[in-house]
Amino acid sequence: MREIILADNAGFCFGVSRAVKEAFTLGEKGKKVFTFGELIHNRDVVEKLKDSNVEVLENDPGEALKKDDTVIIRSHGLSEENVKKLKASSDNVVDLTCPYVSNIHRIVREHADLGYTVVILGDKNHPEVMGINGWCYNKAIIVRNGSEDFRVPLKVCAVAQTTEKLENWVSLITRLSAEAKEIRAFNTICAATGLRQNSTEELSKKVEAMVVIGGKHSSNTTKLYEISRNNCINTYFVENAEELKQYTEELKKYSRIGVTAGASTPDWIIKEAIELL
Ligand code: F3S
């Protein structure tokens, strides 16, 4: 008898769930709807949205949008400059930036204006981080864990990408406290991230194999994979049940399998994967 255990905290977080729900509702109204970049890092959801009239806008909004098109700002948020561009191109901008991310925008703007140099812990190519940097005039120092070669400013305001690992935050703050004169540190790692990471940590210690479900470009899912793999060598990272199929023979040898999913993985994908297992 095989036991499949779903992590206590897995799947859609509050910010993603709100954005996806609202996007489907807007799409159902029949008018063309765009999201500025993919709404979430999950291809299945992006495809479903397309079927519901919600398209991804990759190009310059100035060229692609008509004034009465609806355009959504996704939960990752956008730089102030891009928000302005969107508003100049469309009269119907729907801002679905997660409130926790908007809060980071406020913090960095306020501190940049007070003369602090902002340090962002995160991935410099991730849209959330690029958006945050935009709110402090694109002048932030962006680091992965603080051990990099950079000059610590005297007056620092530190924030983190919402999906960061706590150990990276601790490492950054340790370095800043040793070298800066004045620090304002805002641990902006989202509680949803922490809960998913802790549940994955616990579960991956007590099973023989783990299945991590989520988009390959999803930062928070990748971190769940890393955590799980640390404790459980038999960790499989898949986007959906379809991709899991190739491992089902291999997985038959395990009697206790854990399942977890990133904050951008919808319930129906988790359910399909569990049914397959
Ligand atoms: Fe928001 Fe946290 Fe999700 S910042 S988008 S609730 S991971």
Side-chain angles (χ1 to χ4, degrees), residues 7 12 114 169 177 196-197 200 203 219 277:
F12 271 6
L114 287 170
W169 175 253
S177 348
R196 275 154 194 70
Q197 292 180 356
T200 301
L203 185 58
S219 152
L277 287 170

Side-chain angles (χ1 to χ4, degrees), residues 28-188:
E28 277 157 18
K29 289 187 179 155
K31 257 177 55 184
K32 201 117 195 107
V33 178
F34 293 93
T35 60
F36 193 48
E38 292 186 345
L39 186 68
I40 58 171
H41 288 140
N42 188 291
R43 268 187 293 173
D44 297 82
V45 175
V46 171
E47 283 307 314
K48 266 199 171 200
L49 281 167
K50 254 188 214 155
D51 297 340
S52 305
N53 212 18
V54 183
E55 302 256 342
V56 180
L57 179 72
E58 303 281 6
N59 302 327
D60 193 323
E63 291 164 23
L65 285 176
K66 290 199 222 68
K67 270 283 181 194
D68 66 338
D69 285 335
T70 299
V71 59
I72 292 173
I73 300 177
R74 55 191 175 171
S75 50
H76 289 141
L78 269 188
S79 67
E80 186 182 31
E81 191 190 340
N82 278 330
V83 173
K84 279 187 184 154
K85 264 193 197 169
L86 281 189
K87 289 192 172 159
S89 313
S90 157
D91 290 332
N92 306 305
V93 177
V94 181
D95 188 355
L96 296 179
T97 306
C98 178
Y100 300 127
V101 177
S102 307
N103 183 42
I104 308 179
H105 295 168
R106 271 192 299 275
I107 292 171
V108 298
R109 167 57 61 87
E110 191 185 313
H111 285 81
D113 287 345
L114 287 170
Y116 289 82
T117 301
V118 174
V119 174
I120 307 171
L121 175 70
D123 172 359
K124 66 176 187 323
N125 298 316
H126 192 284
E128 181 190 320
V129 173
M130 295 196 280
I132 296 169
N133 194 16
W135 285 90
C136 51
Y137 313 107
N138 292 309
K139 286 195 175 143
I141 299 172
I142 303 168
V143 296
R144 293 311 304 250
N145 57 27
S147 68
E148 310 69 352
D149 185 17
F150 74 102
R151 229 179 85 209
V152 173
L154 294 179
K155 259 178 99 168
V156 188
C157 164
V159 293
Q161 188 176 342
T162 53
T163 50
E164 255 310 327
K165 285 198 272 191
L166 186 61
E167 63 184 87
N168 290 341
W169 175 253
V170 172
S171 136
L172 171 66
I173 299 304
T174 309
R175 162 105 187 258
L176 296 181
S177 348
E179 297 178 33
K181 286 284 173 222
E182 188 186 338
I183 311 168
R184 304 226 51 201
F186 298 85
N187 179 351
T188 49

Side-chain angles (χ1 to χ4, degrees), residues 4 209-213 216 235-252 257-260 269-277:
I4 313 290
M210 277 290 288
V211 174
V212 180
I213 314 166
K216 297 280 160 44
T235 295
Y236 299 80
F237 188 170
V238 295
E239 266 199 60
N240 48 32
E242 196 49 43
E243 210 183 311
L244 183 60
K245 277 187 188 154
Q246 63 186 307
Y247 301 117
T248 43
E249 266 314 301
E250 220 172 302
L251 282 159
K252 276 187 185 156
I257 303 173
V259 175
T260 190
I269 290 186
I270 304 174
K271 206 166 151 237
E272 274 175 17
I274 291 179
E275 268 160 21
L276 183 71
L277 287 170

